[in-house]
Amino acid sequence: QLCIVIPCITSSGRDLELKNSPVAQLTMKFVHNTVALVLSASNAVFLTQAVDQGGSELISRELTDVEYPDFRFTNWDTIEESTKEAAIILGYEINTWDKPGTAPIEMKRFDQLDEPQKLSAQSMGFDKQQWDCYQNHYSAYTWNEMRTLKLSEFLIRLGWTRESWEEKIFDEPNSQLADVEWRALTSNQQIAARELCYFQETWNNVDFEEWECRREHYRDYTWDELKLDGIDQLFMVLGWNEEMWSGNAEAPPSESMAWDELTTEQHIAARKLCYLKEEWNGPPYPTARFKAWSYLTDEQKSKAESLGYSSITWNKLQSEEIEALAFGDLSDAQKEAATGLGFNEKVWDCYINHYEGYFWYELKDVGVEHWMVVLGWDSSSWTYGSAPNSEITFWDDLSVAQKTAAKEICYIEESWNEIMLDNWDCAKDNFMDRTWDELKSMGVQQYFLTLGWTKTSWLSKETPAAEDKAWGELTTDEADAARAICFEKENWDGAETFYPANRYHVWDLLDNETQAAAGALTYTRDSWNSVGSADIEDLKFDQLSSDQQVAAQKLGFEQQSWDCWQNHYFGYLWSELSLETLQPMTVLGYTMEIWDSADDPEILSKKWKDLTSTQRDAAQTICYFQETWERTNLEEWECPKNHFADLSWSGLQEAGVQDYFDTLGWTEDSWGGSADPPPTEDLHWDQLSLEQHVAAMQICFTKSVWESAFSTNPDPSPTPASSPTPGTNPTPVDTVNVPETAVYPDFRFRVWSSLSPAVKNYARALSYDEDKWNNLGSAFVEKIPFNSLGADEQHAAIQLGFKDALSWNCYMNHYLGFTWDQLEEEGVQAYYVVLGYSEEMWKSSDEPQSKVSWNTLNGAEQTAAQALCYIKESWDQVPLDRWECSWNHFTGRTWDELEEIQMQHYFVALGWDEASWTSGRNRPASESKHWNDLSADEEAAARAICFEKESWDDPSEFYPILRYKLWDLLENDEQASAEVLAYDKNTWNNPGTADIETMAFDEMSDIQKKAARRLQFKEDTWDCWQNHYEAFKWKELQKYGTPFFLTVFGWTQKKWDLSVGNLESVYAPSSWTKSWTELSGEEQNAGKALCYIEQTWDKLDLNDWDCSRNHYDGYSWDRLKEVRVQGYFETLGWTEDSWNGKTAPPRTQSHHWTQLNKAERLAARQLCYSKSVWDSYFVNNEKDGRDNMAGIISAVVICVAFVGLVGALQIWGLQKRSRTKEEDTPNTIPNDVAVQV
């Protein structure tokens, strides 16, 4: 009875007097209290609510927790095929599906569906409760049924009465609320609508594409706007408050929780904010991409290389060009490779591209526009690439809101700060120093869960069972999880199994490649064989240079194995040692005081046999064993000396190597001679399995030693050396018929940016990237002789212009990978003797005194170097982009010097002669041609002096056009970047006056470098165009090839070095103070090589430059090319003919600024136009056009009037004559008069 009475009292809207009477109120209070007691005793949930029409607060209650059917609120194009088939049976098609509330089926309650429809609804995931609430909103229920479900009060709140509900008549008071926008509802009415499973978008009948909820989950709303729609309540369930939402406090814990960690209430709130599990968790963390290169499998490396990555660009995020592309812009082959690395479109675009490949209008569609705005971007800065200050701010200096925004576009601290991958937590310590919440935010917590960790055990460091398993005992899921956090068998099972076998082979048994890697680490024969004596071993891995780290990796070391086996952790500070390392150090007698004093405890001077077992265990923990502890010379070790052949079978066990012999097939009987040796004794090295290779290496075998010691069978598949068939990879050649002269490898000495994509791919096959390619001698592959290259590498080298082994060995390797005896065999030993080498020096990798700059070599030494295929630039290790050919195409040379270096004939082919070259005037016709207009001979000559189509047609490649825009024409973010460099309006508009321009790029702070990059400077463009090399000493300039150009002005090394920092000193030559027009042609060319142009040489204010003053009006078409702006005029539609007035101006000249496309606006900006300046020209042109038209119309009117007057006079004369000639027929007009008329 009570359950019947309460709805009667509280739900009726017809008898307000009864409800407002004191008796009724007292009765209601009594009844409510009684019901509350009864229902609480039965453990039911019943939240009372006042429903009087006077505005009292309606308290939301959820009598049933109706699960949100997220599958229903997903776009038609993205639902699974099985769901789509079921929806079609229910009568849906794309339009009715994507606009909930419009399908006829939704007018039926679940019980009214026929059997096939019910089965279809259930197959989609609906149950009766979900369908009736979210699909039908109970509209097919009767009033009494609604009362039974205790939902009628919500209908009343929304203006319904029993009569209007039963008859569905929309003419009762307040019943038209169904046509009222959600925001016009009161908060109580919004709550009532939600109880009927409405929310803003379904109430307003909004198409999916327009759902605010789905697009950005209301992230771009203010807190007050959330309140307006009642959405704040949902976010409050997730832990948000106004301070957090405004970015003034850290986000709530739910933001770092996985979907499965949310409570039931948080699940409901998240679903009502249109989150699906996948969206909430975000794109899955691309674990493979954030592993250091050395942790990738061979298959992963192959896929990465097909995307253009090298070990350097992989480990340095955002350094490879492909990361600037959105997934949709990748080729099919690239998509396939990316998919093989675990990427899909969402993961790539978020974690790799960070949506930078999207247009601004597309950002809203993927729900990240709001976060970009938080980071300081807007439509204009995004379109024009003008980055906000946040882009040059380190993670720790970002605001709370900016950090949240960065995380939403898949940055973490390491990727934001562009930290090299091999310094990330995964590679360094497998995330062990991270908090549990940080593991979640980094996307790796799931792997620790798989390994048995929980939040509690992580805090207490109580290791789960999986941590005590050997690698081989892990389940498949556990092994996959371990790999995801940078474990492999070696570092999972412990450092003792990660034995660096290569390190303990005698120097003379090392192959050329290994010796070259050791040499890069400053090892000599003596320091290599004397373990522990090399200075490099005093350094931990992080203290090695990047080149040294690469060399260490070639020897099989990673950070953990180097620090343990090579450095034994002595390169660490005491405070940096982990607990696992501190314990053995303490056993060995170290304390903080002894460690900091760099003294060693007495134990370290004891023999291995004199250590206690505890001390030996401690020493083994930090990767010592008897030979390394006692620093025994490698030549005295049992392993390299005779591979343990003198030990008994039990002796092998004591030495800890018996397992390796087991792997190679040995048994106690075969070892003792009572059984035949294993089959491996008759196999070639290449026929051994991977496990057998490892075992052989652990007992000090290399390929060459193995072959000489055991192999008796002929090579099972000999392949004769021959020229490779086009399109196939050649086999490695053992002997090559060497021609007398090495063929010059044309491609190899072209700057990287001039190479075609195909040539770059061949270079990448040799592990080149742009940096290594442009810096000769820096790539490890150049230390390897041709015959030691693999088949694929030899094939790639041939495609790069190395026609045979000689051209590679001479031009690339310069025979540095050869032994002293091999130099004699090749006939080049004498040249190295001339250069000061001896056999001992060659073996020790020491350098003779002659290894200095080219200009200090005497004639005989230069001749010897040339015989070894050195030229001045390669000897001085000048970067390719600083070679005369690549950098300035020999424009700094005199005409006679061009002949001396055998380049003059190329310039003659392009139409130059001595007079035009020396004066700089009367330039040949080829200079004004586009690349495609050059003749075959001209194109060949242009290529010979390092031009390609792009550099020929666009001479502005290095020209920093942004630097020469007026301050007032810079965008706000450009001005902000300039201010970081201490520019103001005055110093910016007067190039050469700012203090920052006296600094080399390397002398700037990191924040200044980042600001310079935002202004389109790289290191080379800054040092040349801004500093003009004024901060460099003479010897430092040799790598840029610039001393030659300085000598043209009269500088000497002594005068220059005395003037660094003040080039207007008394030592400056007289030509240095001339105006540009007073310089000779040779001096002007030298000035251009130092990145001066007439305006910067003469130190003109930007306001006086032709760009700012008149936008180059009055320049000839050829002159526009000389000053590097012709391309911008071409973008605006100008041609040589239209510029010279032979054809009409381009359409852009009659367009307003807003009518220009993106490329045209960019070009106009480079010509010093702003919107206001451009439009002022447009308005004036338009006014001139209107004035001209008015003049034309006036002239036409006058002409017509004049012709009319003349015609009238003629007719008058005609009539007069006709009256005087009565004999003529009146209507006949004489022919002569007709002709006149």
Coordinates of all heavy atoms in Angstrom, one line a residue, residues 693-725:
H693 N 76.8 -21.0 -33.3 CA 77.6 -19.8 -33.5 C 77.9 -19.2 -32.2 O 79.1 -18.9 -31.9 CB 76.9 -18.8 -34.4 CG 77.1 -19.0 -35.8 ND1 76.2 -18.5 -36.8 CD2 78.1 -19.5 -36.5 CE1 76.7 -18.8 -38.0 NE2 77.8 -19.4 -37.9
V694 N 76.9 -19.0 -31.4 CA 77.1 -18.4 -30.1 C 78.0 -19.2 -29.2 O 78.9 -18.7 -28.5 CB 75.7 -18.2 -29.4 CG1 75.9 -17.7 -27.9 CG2 74.8 -17.2 -30.1
A695 N 77.8 -20.5 -29.2 CA 78.6 -21.4 -28.4 C 80.1 -21.3 -28.8 O 81.0 -21.2 -28.0 CB 78.1 -22.8 -28.4
A696 N 80.3 -21.3 -30.1 CA 81.7 -21.3 -30.6 C 82.3 -20.0 -30.3 O 83.5 -19.9 -29.9 CB 81.7 -21.5 -32.2
M697 N 81.6 -18.9 -30.3 CA 82.1 -17.6 -30.0 C 82.5 -17.5 -28.5 O 83.5 -16.9 -28.1 CB 81.1 -16.5 -30.3 CG 81.0 -16.3 -31.8 SD 79.6 -15.1 -32.2 CE 80.2 -13.6 -31.5
Q698 N 81.7 -18.2 -27.7 CA 82.0 -18.2 -26.2 C 83.3 -18.9 -25.9 O 83.9 -18.7 -24.8 CB 80.8 -18.8 -25.5 CG 79.5 -18.1 -25.7 CD 79.4 -16.8 -25.0 OE1 80.4 -16.2 -24.6 NE2 78.2 -16.2 -24.9
I699 N 83.8 -19.8 -26.8 CA 85.0 -20.5 -26.5 C 86.1 -19.9 -27.5 O 87.0 -20.7 -27.9 CB 84.9 -22.0 -26.6 CG1 84.3 -22.4 -27.9 CG2 84.1 -22.5 -25.4 CD1 84.2 -24.0 -28.1
C700 N 85.9 -18.7 -27.9 CA 86.9 -17.9 -28.5 C 87.2 -18.2 -30.0 O 88.3 -18.0 -30.5 CB 88.3 -17.9 -27.8 SG 88.1 -17.2 -26.1
F701 N 86.2 -18.7 -30.7 CA 86.3 -19.0 -32.1 C 85.7 -17.8 -32.9 O 84.7 -17.2 -32.5 CB 85.6 -20.2 -32.5 CG 86.3 -21.5 -32.3 CD1 86.0 -22.3 -31.3 CD2 87.4 -21.8 -33.1 CE1 86.7 -23.5 -31.0 CE2 88.1 -23.0 -32.9 CZ 87.8 -23.8 -31.8
T702 N 86.4 -17.4 -33.9 CA 85.8 -16.5 -34.9 C 85.7 -17.3 -36.2 O 86.1 -18.5 -36.3 CB 86.8 -15.3 -35.2 OG1 88.0 -15.8 -35.7 CG2 87.1 -14.6 -33.9
K703 N 85.1 -16.7 -37.2 CA 84.9 -17.4 -38.5 C 86.2 -17.9 -39.1 O 86.3 -19.1 -39.4 CB 84.1 -16.5 -39.4 CG 83.8 -17.2 -40.8 CD 83.0 -16.3 -41.7 CE 82.8 -17.0 -43.1 NZ 82.0 -16.1 -44.0
S704 N 87.2 -17.0 -39.1 CA 88.4 -17.3 -39.7 C 89.2 -18.4 -39.0 O 89.7 -19.4 -39.5 CB 89.3 -16.1 -39.9 OG 89.5 -15.5 -38.6
V705 N 89.1 -18.3 -37.6 CA 89.8 -19.3 -36.8 C 89.1 -20.7 -36.9 O 89.8 -21.7 -37.1 CB 89.8 -18.9 -35.3 CG1 90.4 -20.0 -34.4 CG2 90.6 -17.6 -35.2
W706 N 87.8 -20.7 -36.9 CA 87.0 -21.9 -37.1 C 87.4 -22.6 -38.4 O 87.6 -23.8 -38.5 CB 85.5 -21.6 -37.0 CG 84.6 -22.8 -37.2 CD1 84.2 -23.4 -38.3 CD2 84.1 -23.6 -36.1 NE1 83.4 -24.5 -38.1 CE2 83.4 -24.7 -36.7 CE3 84.3 -23.6 -34.7 CZ2 82.7 -25.7 -35.9 CZ3 83.6 -24.6 -34.0 CH2 82.9 -25.6 -34.6
E707 N 87.3 -21.8 -39.5 CA 87.6 -22.4 -40.8 C 89.0 -23.0 -40.9 O 89.2 -24.1 -41.5 CB 87.4 -21.3 -41.9 CG 86.0 -20.7 -42.0 CD 85.1 -21.7 -42.7 OE1 85.5 -22.7 -43.3 OE2 83.8 -21.5 -42.6
S708 N 90.0 -22.3 -40.4 CA 91.3 -22.8 -40.5 C 91.6 -24.0 -39.6 O 92.4 -24.9 -39.9 CB 92.3 -21.7 -40.1 OG 92.2 -21.3 -38.7
A709 N 90.8 -24.1 -38.5 CA 91.0 -25.2 -37.5 C 90.3 -26.5 -37.8 O 90.8 -27.5 -37.6 CB 90.6 -24.7 -36.1
F710 N 89.1 -26.4 -38.4 CA 88.2 -27.5 -38.5 C 87.8 -27.9 -39.9 O 87.8 -29.1 -40.3 CB 87.0 -27.4 -37.6 CG 87.2 -27.4 -36.2 CD1 86.8 -26.4 -35.3 CD2 88.0 -28.5 -35.6 CE1 87.0 -26.5 -34.0 CE2 88.2 -28.5 -34.3 CZ 87.8 -27.5 -33.4
S711 N 87.4 -26.9 -40.7 CA 86.7 -27.3 -41.9 C 87.6 -28.0 -42.9 O 88.7 -27.5 -43.2 CB 86.2 -26.0 -42.6 OG 85.4 -26.3 -43.7
T712 N 87.1 -29.1 -43.4 CA 87.9 -29.9 -44.4 C 87.2 -30.0 -45.7 O 87.8 -30.4 -46.7 CB 88.2 -31.3 -43.8 OG1 86.9 -32.0 -43.5 CG2 89.0 -31.3 -42.6
N713 N 85.8 -29.8 -45.7 CA 85.1 -30.0 -46.9 C 85.2 -28.7 -47.8 O 85.4 -27.6 -47.2 CB 83.6 -30.2 -46.6 CG 83.3 -31.5 -45.9 OD1 84.1 -32.5 -46.1 ND2 82.3 -31.6 -45.1
P714 N 85.1 -28.9 -49.1 CA 85.1 -27.7 -49.9 C 83.9 -26.9 -49.7 O 82.9 -27.4 -49.2 CB 85.2 -28.3 -51.4 CG 84.6 -29.7 -51.2 CD 85.0 -30.1 -49.8
D715 N 83.9 -25.7 -50.1 CA 82.7 -24.8 -50.0 C 81.6 -25.5 -50.7 O 81.6 -25.8 -51.9 CB 83.0 -23.4 -50.6 CG 82.0 -22.4 -50.2 OD1 80.8 -22.8 -50.1 OD2 82.3 -21.2 -50.1
P716 N 80.5 -25.7 -50.0 CA 79.3 -26.4 -50.6 C 78.7 -25.7 -51.7 O 78.0 -26.3 -52.5 CB 78.4 -26.6 -49.4 CG 78.7 -25.5 -48.4 CD 80.2 -25.3 -48.6
S717 N 78.8 -24.4 -51.8 CA 78.2 -23.7 -52.9 C 79.1 -22.5 -53.4 O 78.8 -21.4 -53.2 CB 76.8 -23.1 -52.4 OG 77.0 -22.3 -51.3
P718 N 80.2 -22.9 -54.1 CA 81.1 -21.8 -54.5 C 80.4 -21.0 -55.6 O 79.7 -21.5 -56.4 CB 82.3 -22.6 -55.1 CG 81.7 -23.9 -55.5 CD 80.6 -24.2 -54.5
T719 N 80.7 -19.7 -55.6 CA 80.1 -18.8 -56.6 C 81.2 -18.0 -57.2 O 81.9 -17.3 -56.5 CB 79.1 -17.9 -55.9 OG1 78.1 -18.6 -55.2 CG2 78.4 -17.0 -57.0
P720 N 81.5 -18.1 -58.5 CA 82.6 -17.4 -59.1 C 82.3 -15.9 -59.1 O 81.1 -15.5 -59.1 CB 82.6 -17.9 -60.5 CG 81.2 -18.4 -60.8 CD 80.7 -18.9 -59.4
A721 N 83.3 -15.1 -59.0 CA 83.1 -13.7 -59.0 C 82.8 -13.3 -60.4 O 83.4 -13.7 -61.4 CB 84.4 -13.0 -58.6
S722 N 81.8 -12.4 -60.5 CA 81.3 -12.0 -61.8 C 80.6 -10.7 -61.7 O 80.2 -10.3 -60.6 CB 80.5 -13.0 -62.5 OG 79.3 -13.3 -61.7
S723 N 80.3 -10.0 -62.8 CA 79.5 -8.8 -62.7 C 78.1 -9.2 -62.4 O 77.6 -10.2 -62.9 CB 79.6 -8.1 -64.0 OG 80.9 -7.7 -64.3
P724 N 77.5 -8.4 -61.5 CA 76.1 -8.7 -61.1 C 75.1 -8.5 -62.2 O 75.3 -7.6 -63.0 CB 75.8 -7.8 -60.0 CG 76.7 -6.6 -60.2 CD 77.9 -7.2 -60.9
T725 N 74.2 -9.4 -62.3 CA 73.1 -9.2 -63.3 C 72.2 -8.1 -62.8 O 71.9 -8.1 -61.6 CB 72.3 -10.5 -63.4 OG1 73.1 -11.6 -63.7 CG2 71.2 -10.4 -64.4

